[in-house]
Amino acid sequence: GNIMPFEVKNETVVLPASGDKIPIHQSSCNAPKVIQAPYSGIYTPTLTNTTNIAASTASVCQYMCVGDLVTVSGKINIDPTATGLITMGISLPIASDLASDNQCAGVAAQASGSTGQNGAISGDATNNRATLNSITSSLAAFDWFFTFTYRII
């Protein structure tokens, strides 16, 4: 990638090409000031068919990390065993020691079909992964698109 020179003025990084200003934050008076560049990647999550899922397939997904926050998006295919609650575990691209369900949150939606299902994604502190929960009214396998964000702890 390109390396861009910058200068620091009044607790702000100033990018000379655009004039954009990025504030520098520190957690205490003695803490060093660190600027961490965002980074991204791809991964194929490990899926765990927890409740009412006969089979599932993960596609290659993408993620972006800024500081201690990671945002993930992608597609999975879920084939339910019956109508009703479905629950699936989704591995994280960067390990995190989640302590509560609200340290990971997001949404998922079916890509096709007349049922228009959606689901909630939350953190699974026991297994340190994301968990998708939804209610399905169809026995057909469908693709689901999802996004969630979590903290690296």
Side-chain angles (χ1 to χ4, degrees):
N2 295 333
I3 298 175
M4 180 186 302
F6 63 88
E7 60 181 301
V8 177
K9 289 183 179 179
N10 301 322
E11 304 294 316
T12 303
V13 172
V14 179
L15 304 176
S18 65
D20 290 342
K21 297 178 181 179
I22 304 169
I24 300 173
H25 301 284
Q26 63 187 55
S27 58
S28 69
C29 294
N30 297 323
K33 296 176 183 175
V34 176
I35 300 171
Q36 181 180 353
Y39 62 94
S40 60
I42 58 173
Y43 85 117
T44 303
T46 299
L47 303 178
T48 304
N49 301 337
T50 306
T51 304
N52 197 20
I53 297 175
S56 60
T57 305
S59 295
V60 175
C61 299
Q62 52 278 331
Y63 66 92
M64 180 177 63
C65 180
V66 178
D68 65 349
L69 296 177
V70 180
T71 298
V72 179
S73 65
K75 179 178 88 168
I76 54 180
N77 184 278
I78 299 175
D79 183 7
T81 57
T83 60
L85 175 68
I86 57 170
T87 303
M88 167 177 286
I90 305 170
S91 68
L92 306 176
I94 300 170
S96 183
D97 188 16
L98 301 173
S100 65
D101 62 355
N102 68 334
Q103 291 172 334
C104 173
V107 294
Q110 271 186 5
S112 61
S114 61
T115 56
Q117 303 296 314
N118 55 48
I121 296 176
S122 60
D124 177 349
T126 302
N127 297 296
N128 288 321
R129 64 186 179 208
T131 297
L132 165 63
N133 285 296
S134 183
I135 304 293
T136 185
S137 59
S138 172
L139 293 178
F142 285 108
D143 288 336
W144 289 72
F145 288 87
F146 67 90
T147 185
F148 62 87
T149 300
Y150 68 95
R151 289 184 51 214
I152 301 171
I153 300 171

